[in-house]
Amino acid sequence: MLLAIYFIAGIILSGLIFIFPWRKSINVFTLVFIIVQVLFSILAFTRKDQSDLSYFTYDSLSLIFLIILSLVSSATFFHSIIYTKDSGHRQRAFFYSSFILLNISLTGVYTTNNLIVSWIFVELTTLSVAYLINHHGTANSLEATWKYIFICSVGIALAYIGILFASASSGIGSTGDMSFNGLHNIFAKINPVYLKMSFILILAGYSSKLEVFPLYTIGIDANYVAPSPVSAFLSSALVNGGFVAFFRVFLAMTGTIISIWINHVLLITGILSLVVAAIYMQKATNLKRVFAYSTVEHMGLVLIALSLGKIGIYIALLQITFHSFIKSGLFYQTGLLHRVLKSYKLYKSGGYLRLNPTGAIILIIGVILITAIPPSALFYSEFLLFRELGNGHGVIFIIVAFLLTLIFYGIFLKNSKIIIGESGHIHSDISVIPISEYSTQILFFSIAIVLTFYIPGFLNNLFVSVSGLNNGFLFSILNF
Amino acid sequence: MLILLYILFGISLVYIAATEKFKHYIQVYTIQGILLFGMAIIELKSFSVINLLFILAETIIFKSIVVPKLLRKILQRTGIHNVHKMSLQGNYTVMIMLVLLGISLVLAHVLHVPYVGEVYMMIAYLTLFTGLLLITVRKLLFGHLVGFLIIENAVFLFSIAIGNEFPLLVNTGILLDIFVAVLIMSMFLTRIGHKMGGFEVETLSKLKD
């Protein structure tokens, strides 16, 4: 019932935006929606592990991502208000209406317990994000939007065929249960060849949403052309949606006869994602593309972590949580950087530290955090990852360490160019950036630092519950 | 009867891969909707009015009426009629289709699915491969859109194979998703033509490092 109220409220508010398309009314409707989103997430906690509308459950996994969604969507709304202040009524109405629908779709993806419903909502995220990517309406944004919709839709269709194929091959007939729990029982009985084929289709299909090899390119282009607040949302909440959709199928397949094979595939896919990120990071000539490739890197690490069993799942959840806060903060800051330098192009811009010291320092902090340098919480998760890789995965340890070094070098080189490099022909206008606009970045970066030393009990319990570790498990960097 | 429908569907796939006129794409897609309706009705494991109405909506109304109308509108607006001159020619695509038919046959035999006929699975695989082929070899974006629709037909065939009947709400969600996807893609396709002055895949290659 709670979810029904949330969905109805969201759809009504999304519609009201078109009926009253003025700036103030749109901001009010979107603000009301953000409040609804936050309240929904809080109330979902009070109903932990309960089902809603038959196809949804407020399990630990969904609760983790609902918290992140609430925080990121609030911050994105704050930055969007500033970003869209000069937009036309129609353009603004489409923007916020799509934003609300995207939030609803993501909530559906996070909370559903049924594969078909998950597919419906994942496809809805693709459709609702289209206008947000194409907000500028330029040739570049049209190209990125078309590629995003088309490749995602084809990818998701392939993933769906993979599941249907596995279910058909189990011979379940019309009694089949397409809930993730039901699928777990189905997968346990299937011939491994069918299951492997199914998994390859699912991973390839969802890679478009996960932003990992092979279909990562559309995510890079989308992040590049979208408005910065949208890029922040895409590389955190939307990527998380892809993760949840994939992870639930992955969980349903663990414990089957092909578990070890799946781990190998994830390991290879994760490493290939790191290779892609390491190579293209050096070639990138645009700051937003640099950060987009960094998302490919982190999602690659998440896949590698998933291949390491229960503790790996715990690490993957930490990694994706920390990444969400840091990456969205970085993209918000990139938007402010554009207001000063008027460009994201590395060969055209520079001297950010001299022109806007506050913004530059926040950017430097963000870069330190995203590269997992202490006190970044990502240091904590990557430290755990390397510790696990060190136990019997020596070669992988060396490969991953080498690739991360290349990525580290790429991110610092590109950012140093923009922070302390030559200014070039730019017209700075830093007076338009009030200090309040840095607040979300400071908040998110602070969260990413605090979580290094202290993970709240309720959050750790959620991680432990999803990964299937013993109750009370908590690895502290302070005790090592 | 069912075998006849399979054969006709297989022929329609080879034809759509070979033809170089977009209006033929639309005609073949319309016929495929009718053939899918026939297959779904015959394969239906438990009969109910709701199921029948839903299959009717998904195949005849959606695939044979609404989508073809939308596709015709795109052709009118964009003024494109034939596949790009540089696209792989029809006789080559027919040869590729024969190879794909062979692969589908082997897959259907090797990966035998309980309770589902080999011929049926072969057609499902071939439909998937045809969609992917169109996306790969056609140089105009309209061909890609039709390729996506053919993949959706493969999804439909696989979902019949599983024999799982979902509640009306879920089925409506699936149908609505696909419809909105086609609608949005059509909208963007028209915009790309206006903004970039062409519908070739090459026009979409500005974004790179």
Side-chain angles (χ1 to χ4, degrees), chain A residues 269-281 399 403 406-407:
Chain A
T269 313
I271 290 173
L272 285 173
S273 304
L274 289 184
V275 170
V276 163
I279 294 171
Y280 284 96
M281 185 83 78
I399 294 171
L403 292 169
L406 281 179
I407 291 166

Side-chain angles (χ1 to χ4, degrees), chain A residues 247 309-315 317 462-469:
Chain A
F247 181 70
K310 286 180 181 177
I311 183 77
I313 295 174
Y314 182 81
I315 298 166
L317 291 169
L462 294 177
F463 292 145
V464 168
S465 162
V466 175
S467 49
L469 291 164

Side-chain angles (χ1 to χ4, degrees), chain A residues 77-325:
Chain A
F77 170 57
F78 171 70
H79 284 276
S80 298
I81 293 172
I82 303 152
Y83 190 89
T84 57
K85 73 175 191 297
D86 297 324
S87 305
H89 286 325
R90 192 169 174 273
Q91 206 181 11
R92 193 184 291 114
F94 267 107
F95 183 93
Y96 287 101
S97 187
S98 302
F99 178 64
I100 291 175
L101 289 177
L102 181 58
N103 273 277
I104 295 172
S105 317
L106 281 170
T107 302
V109 174
Y110 295 161
T111 52
T112 184
N113 56 27
N114 184 288
L115 179 86
I116 308 297
V117 180
S118 167
W119 179 80
I120 293 171
F121 280 104
V122 170
E123 181 65 10
L124 266 181
T125 62
T126 309
L127 304 174
S128 50
V129 85
Y131 188 84
L132 296 175
I133 299 173
N134 188 44
H135 181 69
H136 295 305
T138 60
N140 277 351
S141 51
L142 263 178
E143 178 182 337
T145 311
W146 170 266
K147 284 179 178 171
Y148 193 86
I149 301 173
F150 189 78
I151 296 177
C152 270
S153 298
V154 171
I156 294 162
L158 286 179
Y160 187 44
I161 286 176
I163 294 290
L164 290 175
F165 176 76
S167 306
S169 58
S170 70
I172 52 171
S174 56
T175 56
D177 175 5
M178 296 303 275
S179 71
F180 289 106
N181 287 337
L183 280 174
H184 185 71
N185 299 329
I186 292 167
F187 290 155
K189 299 171 196 158
I190 298 179
N191 179 331
V193 179
Y194 297 78
L195 213 50
K196 284 178 183 176
M197 190 173 148
S198 172
F199 182 77
I200 290 290
L201 281 171
I202 293 161
L203 180 61
Y206 279 136
S207 69
S208 56
K209 286 281 172 195
L210 271 167
E211 292 195 23
V212 290
F213 184 85
L215 299 179
Y216 64 92
T217 51
I218 51 166
I220 303 286
D221 290 342
N223 274 306
Y224 167 50
V225 301
S228 288
V230 176
S231 302
F233 198 76
L234 293 183
S235 56
S236 52
L238 190 57
V239 168
N240 294 354
F243 172 78
V244 172
F246 170 75
F247 181 70
R248 288 194 190 277
V249 181
F250 164 79
L251 274 187
M253 284 194 177
T254 49
T256 62
I257 198 163
I258 63 157
S259 280
I260 295 171
W261 179 85
I262 286 179
N263 290 344
H264 291 158
V265 173
L266 289 178
L267 202 59
I268 293 167
T269 313
I271 290 173
L272 285 173
S273 304
L274 289 184
V275 170
V276 163
I279 294 171
Y280 284 96
M281 185 83 78
Q282 319 301 326
K283 285 179 72 180
T285 55
N286 185 293
L287 191 63
K288 282 181 90 180
R289 288 184 88 86
V290 170
F291 291 137
Y293 280 115
S294 153
T295 306
V296 176
E297 170 218 340
H298 285 282
M299 294 314 290
L301 289 174
V302 165
L303 290 194
I304 293 172
L306 284 183
S307 71
L308 299 173
K310 286 180 181 177
I311 183 77
I313 295 174
Y314 182 81
I315 298 166
L317 291 169
L318 291 180
Q319 182 81 9
I320 202 164
T321 304
F322 303 153
H323 172 260
S324 301
F325 291 119

Side-chain angles (χ1 to χ4, degrees), chain A residues 327-400:
Chain A
K327 187 53 63 63
S328 51
L330 265 174
F331 270 117
Y332 298 136
Q333 187 54 41
T334 310
L336 300 189
L337 174 142
H338 187 268
R339 297 239 299 273
V340 176
L341 301 182
K342 311 293 181 204
S343 174
Y344 298 116
K345 288 178 182 162
L346 296 167
Y347 59 86
K348 268 191 178 175
S349 349
Y352 189 46
L353 184 64
R354 186 174 54 81
L355 294 164
N356 183 13
T358 314
I361 288 166
I362 290 171
L363 183 65
I364 292 167
I365 293 170
V367 171
I368 287 171
L369 295 178
I370 204 69
T371 46
I373 295 174
S376 170
L378 282 172
F379 173 75
Y380 172 49
S381 54
E382 290 184 20
F383 178 82
L384 276 174
L385 178 67
F386 275 104
R387 199 184 69 148
E388 288 306 306
L389 285 176
N391 296 330
H393 297 84
V395 179
I396 308 292
F397 181 102
I398 294 166
I399 294 171
V400 173

Side-chain angles (χ1 to χ4, degrees), chain A residues 436-451:
Chain A
S436 61
E437 288 190 39
Y438 300 112
S439 57
T440 52
Q441 294 87 300
I442 293 169
L443 173 70
F444 283 4
F445 293 163
S446 304
I447 291 173
I449 292 170
V450 170
L451 287 175

Side-chain angles (χ1 to χ4, degrees), chain A residues 409-446:
Chain A
Y409 170 75
I411 293 183
F412 267 92
L413 186 74
K414 306 290 174 182
N415 278 281
S416 62
K417 165 81 188 76
I418 221 155
I419 292 167
I420 53 172
E422 287 294 314
S423 301
H425 304 288
I426 50 154
H427 309 283
S428 68
D429 185 18
I430 58 167
S431 59
V432 293
I433 302 176
I435 201 79
S436 61
E437 288 190 39
Y438 300 112
S439 57
T440 52
Q441 294 87 300
I442 293 169
L443 173 70
F444 283 4
F445 293 163
S446 304

